Amino acid sequence: MQFRMLPLIFVAISFVGAGADEPMVSLYNGNDLRGWTTTGNWIPQDDGSLMLRPREGEEGWKRYDAYLWADQPYGDFVFDFEYKHESEGNSGFYFHVKDKDDPVETGIEIQIKDSYGDTGKLGPHHCGGVVRTQAPAKNMSRPPGQWNHMVVRCESGHLQVELNGEAIIDMQLDKSAVSDRPDQGWLGIQDHGQKFWVRNVQAKRL
């Protein structure tokens, strides 16, 4: 009997899809806030995006119930969305939040802010950084008014973040400053008291 060696074929697979057990599911239907909980002024737009327009007197980031919270908790997941902001804009993506009344101390935040053009040393509070924990590998923030695309993947404590097509975070949460945070919990988008837009919001469980 003769054996024929077959050539090895290597296929590049983005981390976003590897090991996924479920398909990506849209979390925003383009019409209303079904699937979300918030007291904030998040307004559906005709172009399919969702705009945050704080009401008069709504300032700062400590109005936690004004954050846009998904109705269901997540453990291992991929979260894929686009966002834009005005000059000096600020927001954040939270995940594995144990208590929605205190997401800063009981969850993990990926910073979203206007870091465009910043050539200084990057820190955890630059766009794409893990707040209090790790700086992004590079500054991929686009100019104010332009859409940014962020993909966050967390599986078995392995956190990876892509911003505008570039890998900027690759770390183990259990070996970081947020190792005490739960491995599942609520996810949401911050109301920082500034105008903010999101669209094409999708997620899947791993």
Side-chain angles (χ1 to χ4, degrees):
M1 180 180 294
Q2 294 183 337
F3 295 91
R4 184 164 56 94
M5 297 297 293
L6 297 177
L8 293 176
I9 300 174
F10 294 91
V11 180
I13 302 176
S14 168
F15 74 72
V16 173
D21 294 327
E22 299 184 6
M24 295 295 287
V25 176
S26 176
L27 297 187
Y28 174 54
N29 62 23
N31 298 308
D32 55 45
L33 294 178
R34 279 179 292 180
W36 298 90
T37 300
T38 185
T39 63
N41 195 34
W42 297 82
I43 307 169
Q45 303 296 292
D46 291 340
D47 64 358
S49 66
L50 186 62
M51 180 181 74
L52 169 63
R53 184 168 61 197
R55 307 175 186 92
E56 184 176 355
E58 292 185 334
E59 299 178 351
W61 51 270
K62 295 185 177 181
R63 299 169 295 104
Y64 303 130
D65 58 356
Y67 290 16
L68 190 65
W69 294 109
D71 279 350
Q72 300 294 324
Y74 282 74
D76 291 345
F77 68 90
V78 175
F79 191 80
D80 185 323
F81 69 115
E82 294 178 89
Y83 70 85
K84 68 177 180 178
H85 49 69
E86 297 179 324
S87 179
E88 300 185 1
N90 200 319
S91 183
F93 168 67
Y94 281 82
F95 66 97
H96 288 182
V97 173
K98 179 180 180 180
D99 182 359
K100 288 186 286 186
D101 290 330
D102 192 5
V104 174
E105 299 298 333
T106 69
I108 302 169
E109 179 187 2
I110 306 298
Q111 177 71 281
I112 296 173
K113 67 179 298 186
D114 180 12
S115 296
Y116 178 72
D118 191 337
T119 58
K121 182 179 179 180
L122 298 178
H125 285 271
H126 279 89
C127 189
V130 184
V131 173
R132 300 183 180 182
T133 307
Q134 183 166 309
K138 58 186 75 174
N139 185 356
M140 293 303 301
S141 186
R142 289 177 177 164
Q146 292 189 16
W147 288 101
N148 294 267
H149 180 204
M150 181 177 284
V151 184
V152 180
R153 177 190 177 95
C154 187
E155 185 173 20
S156 300
H158 185 195
L159 176 65
Q160 296 170 288
V161 182
E162 283 185 1
L163 181 59
N164 296 323
E166 293 286 340
I168 58 170
I169 294 289
D170 190 335
M171 62 177 290
Q172 289 295 140
L173 294 174
D174 60 354
K175 298 178 181 179
S176 75
V178 288
S179 61
D180 61 332
R181 305 303 158 91
D183 57 9
Q184 63 178 343
W186 306 103
L187 59 80
I189 300 173
Q190 185 182 60
D191 179 339
H192 206 283
Q194 299 173 324
K195 283 185 178 180
F196 189 71
W197 292 259
V198 295
R199 70 181 183 186
N200 298 327
V201 183
Q202 303 177 84
K204 63 181 172 184
R205 303 178 192 278
L206 299 177

